[in-house]
Amino acid sequence: MKILRLAVQNVRVHSLKMLDLEPGTTLISGPNGCGKTSLIEALYIALRGKSFRGSDESICSYGTQMYQIDVATDELQYRVTYQNQDGAKRKQFVVAGKKHGRLPYALKYPIVLFEPDTLRIVNGSPQRRRDFLDGLIQQYDQSYSHELSRYNRALLQRNKLLKDPLINDDELFSWNLILSDYGAKIISKRQAVLNDFNSKITAIYQSIAGTSDTVSLQYSHESRVSAQKLLKEYEEKITYDKAVGATSTGPHRHDIAIGFGDKPAAKVASRGEARTIILALKFLEAAYIEQQTGKRPLILLDDVFGELDRHRQKRLMSEFVDNQIVMTSTGD
């Protein structure tokens, strides 16, 4: 699928804006604050169903209570409308003339997003790495969002009970069961992706950097996890969890260990080396999504060239030469 045209109304700084997209690369250039990222965001909302950087209320232009996004492709027409009238919020997706309260999974199109915050995957928090992995899996696995949602809802309930000094272990058991069931599925799917990535990332890194350095990716939890093993972990941690008032084990606590040589990349990788690791991860992400979905993802590059040297810029563009790219830049 190729994006042909984007039109937005009342999206952040844009009261009205229309943009024709090239089948190859479309460059959106201009000074900071002119709304380049807002156009990238609008494409993301229309094709993925939600923003990557804010709430619907924050997307509305100042002084307005609505926005509209229209995306024309060579296959489908997408329209997103949002209205906030007297506190009643209504968001609607219209695709090929059919109305939806939420964008159906079958109508979502895969996107690989590269923005300045992406460059913090190596040195940022474990939550940032979990979000990267979870967002990737959701693009090809329809059940994964449901599994994450059920896990997180159960986690909130268990944490709430843990703060009650009178709670007994039996009252936590049903929540432990739910967490272990969905948690095992989440962990297994994360590990499957990382196992694939780990077998390929060194070769990709070396082809970009022109060095013999090695990169490794490892999930922080043991392999071959089962719901029974995870249930045992939750049960064994009950006394500690009551003391701290929070659930201390499970996929919400896990991390991706990124190694550079035989040491943690966050501790020893230079700024350029960390950015090369991110490039390699994004190349793997795009290839893996295409492998799983049969679709070439749309590549959105939001003002990242300033963070990459000329060699890495060229490598980035050559890797995605067969994908449609929409990129922003403060330069020409």
Side-chain angles (χ1 to χ4, degrees), residues 278-318:
I278 299 301
L279 275 182
L281 283 173
K282 283 297 174 178
F283 295 168
L284 286 168
E285 178 185 5
Y288 197 81
I289 290 172
E290 183 175 350
Q291 174 188 323
Q292 296 295 322
T293 65
K295 301 175 181 177
R296 285 197 180 112
L298 173 67
I299 310 298
L300 301 181
L301 307 176
D302 184 27
D303 200 23
V304 295
F305 268 28
E307 299 286 347
L308 302 173
D309 61 31
R310 189 169 296 278
H311 168 70
R312 289 172 177 80
Q313 291 175 15
K314 289 181 178 179
R315 189 66 173 82
L316 176 63
M317 298 306 292
S318 65

Side-chain angles (χ1 to χ4, degrees), residues 79-303:
R79 170 168 286 182
V80 188
T81 57
Y82 171 81
Q83 291 184 327
N84 184 354
Q85 294 182 337
D86 301 323
K89 301 171 185 177
R90 184 169 180 262
K91 190 174 184 179
Q92 184 180 81
F93 295 84
V94 181
V95 185
K98 294 184 178 180
K99 298 178 181 179
H100 309 275
R102 293 183 179 179
L103 186 63
Y105 188 87
L107 295 175
K108 293 181 179 181
Y109 195 80
I111 290 176
V112 170
L113 173 68
F114 201 147
E115 57 168 337
D117 273 357
T118 304
L119 298 167
R120 297 173 60 192
I121 289 176
V122 172
N123 299 306
S125 68
Q127 181 68 56
R128 192 174 295 277
R129 289 182 285 278
R130 290 193 298 269
D131 287 347
F132 163 72
L133 201 51
D134 291 341
L136 187 161
I137 298 170
Q138 288 176 72
Q139 298 217 49
Y140 63 83
D141 187 327
Q142 185 170 357
S143 63
Y144 194 70
S145 293
H146 171 73
E147 290 159 358
L148 276 177
S149 177
R150 288 297 303 271
Y151 181 88
N152 288 328
R153 287 204 298 268
L155 180 65
L156 286 172
Q157 291 300 319
R158 188 179 193 268
N159 286 345
K160 183 178 179 181
L161 289 173
L162 287 169
K163 292 177 174 60
D164 183 350
L166 301 179
I167 192 70
N168 61 61
D169 293 0
D170 291 339
E171 292 176 271
L172 291 170
F173 183 70
S174 61
W175 298 111
N176 294 344
L177 280 176
I178 295 172
L179 288 175
S180 59
D181 181 25
Y182 287 104
K185 294 174 182 176
I186 291 167
I187 294 168
S188 177
K189 291 178 180 182
R190 288 176 176 175
Q191 288 175 333
V193 175
L194 283 185
N195 288 340
D196 182 88
F197 280 23
N198 188 52
S199 67
K200 301 171 181 175
I201 192 167
T202 288
I204 294 177
Y205 179 91
Q206 291 176 353
S207 74
I208 301 170
T211 68
S212 59
D213 295 316
T214 60
V215 180
S216 62
L217 303 171
Q218 186 172 352
Y219 195 67
S220 62
H221 197 276
E222 65 177 294
S223 60
R224 297 183 183 178
V225 68
S226 66
Q228 291 76 16
K229 285 184 179 180
L230 204 53
L231 177 61
K232 185 179 180 182
E233 289 183 27
Y234 290 120
E235 296 288 298
E236 290 175 345
K237 288 285 189 175
I238 284 179
T239 300
Y240 177 81
D241 289 353
K242 284 181 178 178
V244 300
T247 303
S248 60
T249 191
H252 65 290
R253 295 282 189 176
H254 294 168
D255 197 0
I256 304 170
I258 304 177
F260 190 67
D262 59 352
K263 297 180 176 62
K267 293 186 178 295
V268 300
S270 68
R271 186 180 179 91
E273 289 164 343
R275 274 148 179 68
T276 304
I277 292 172
I278 299 301
L279 275 182
L281 283 173
K282 283 297 174 178
F283 295 168
L284 286 168
E285 178 185 5
Y288 197 81
I289 290 172
E290 183 175 350
Q291 174 188 323
Q292 296 295 322
T293 65
K295 301 175 181 177
R296 285 197 180 112
L298 173 67
I299 310 298
L300 301 181
L301 307 176
D302 184 27
D303 200 23

Side-chain angles (χ1 to χ4, degrees), residues 32-72:
N32 290 328
C34 72
K36 303 184 300 298
T37 300
S38 300
L39 298 177
I40 294 277
E41 179 184 27
L43 284 169
Y44 196 94
I45 293 168
L47 299 178
R48 296 302 304 167
K50 62 180 181 180
S51 170
F52 60 83
R53 65 170 187 154
S55 65
D56 287 309
E57 294 89 336
S58 68
I59 295 166
C60 295
S61 297
Y62 180 76
T64 69
Q65 299 296 317
M66 65 81 64
Y67 70 76
Q68 181 171 302
I69 301 167
D70 288 279
V71 172

